[in-house]
Amino acid sequence: MSHFQKHLILSASPEAVYAALSTQQGLSQWWTATCEADETVGGQARFDFNQTHKTMRIDRLEPGREVRWHCVQAHLEAPGIAHTSEWVGTDIVFRLSPEAGGGTRLEFEHIGLTQALQCFNICQSGWTIFLGSLKSLVETGTGQPFLPSFEACVH
């Protein structure tokens, strides 16, 4: 089975897209406002979505070209998900290349996110939404990241 892939053309420079993918500030503006991210290879990035969280090892940072993460820890909290650590061992890759007329081609892959996983439909939908948020961020300056709900913070 093939893994999840998506390609986008972004009206922003590869450097601007790279900054949104490789810095805590950038990531918090399009994926989740509750993240902590190192900005060096070998470091980690943790992304929280209320009860769901993922920790990535940063495997590659090539300015203006590529960002690659390897999921080392995950807990997916969603209806119908019994295997809450399905992301562990998967790889997330963002490849950037300049477009001839300006802008950036983003080739996104979540290697290991296949239809065999219980979370596939939810995650496919989530990536589509959040990659749209990334596009909005780099093109307009405003993304639509996940924001924690108040109820999830009060325990």
Side-chain angles (χ1 to χ4, degrees):
M1 271 183 213
S2 64
H3 55 269
F4 181 72
Q5 300 176 51
K6 191 158 181 75
H7 306 282
L8 298 169
I9 303 300
L10 308 170
S11 298
S13 70
E15 293 76 21
V17 178
Y18 178 80
L21 298 170
S22 63
T23 65
Q24 181 169 320
Q25 179 181 356
L27 292 162
S28 69
Q29 292 177 339
W30 70 267
W31 198 14
T32 177
T34 50
C35 71
E36 294 180 19
D38 289 335
E39 298 179 10
T40 58
V41 172
Q44 291 192 340
R46 179 181 164 112
F47 304 96
D48 293 316
F49 304 82
N50 288 339
Q51 301 305 314
T52 291
H53 53 87
K54 300 142 186 162
T55 301
M56 309 292 174
R57 181 184 67 224
I58 301 164
D59 283 350
R60 183 171 294 157
L61 293 172
E62 290 184 40
R65 300 195 54 187
E66 185 173 334
V67 172
R68 179 185 287 261
W69 303 325
H70 179 77
C71 185
V72 296
Q73 196 280 331
H75 177 80
L76 308 174
E77 187 72 37
I81 305 293
H83 303 288
T84 60
S85 62
E86 286 187 314
W87 275 38
V88 173
T90 66
D91 292 295
I92 297 168
V93 183
F94 302 87
R95 288 187 189 90
L96 311 174
S97 56
E99 278 289 290
T104 302
R105 177 178 178 83
L106 168 64
E107 296 180 24
F108 172 83
E109 294 183 275
H110 188 157
I111 301 166
L113 179 62
T114 67
Q115 292 182 356
L117 300 184
Q118 290 179 341
C119 72
F120 181 79
N121 290 333
I122 292 168
C123 294
Q124 175 182 335
S125 176
W127 276 127
T128 299
I129 289 166
F130 288 116
L131 290 172
S133 175
L134 171 64
K135 180 176 176 65
S136 178
L137 174 64
V138 299
E139 292 181 352
T140 71
T142 304
Q144 296 83 39
F146 174 84
L147 300 172
S149 64
F150 179 72
E151 296 79 33
C153 297
V154 179
H155 290 290

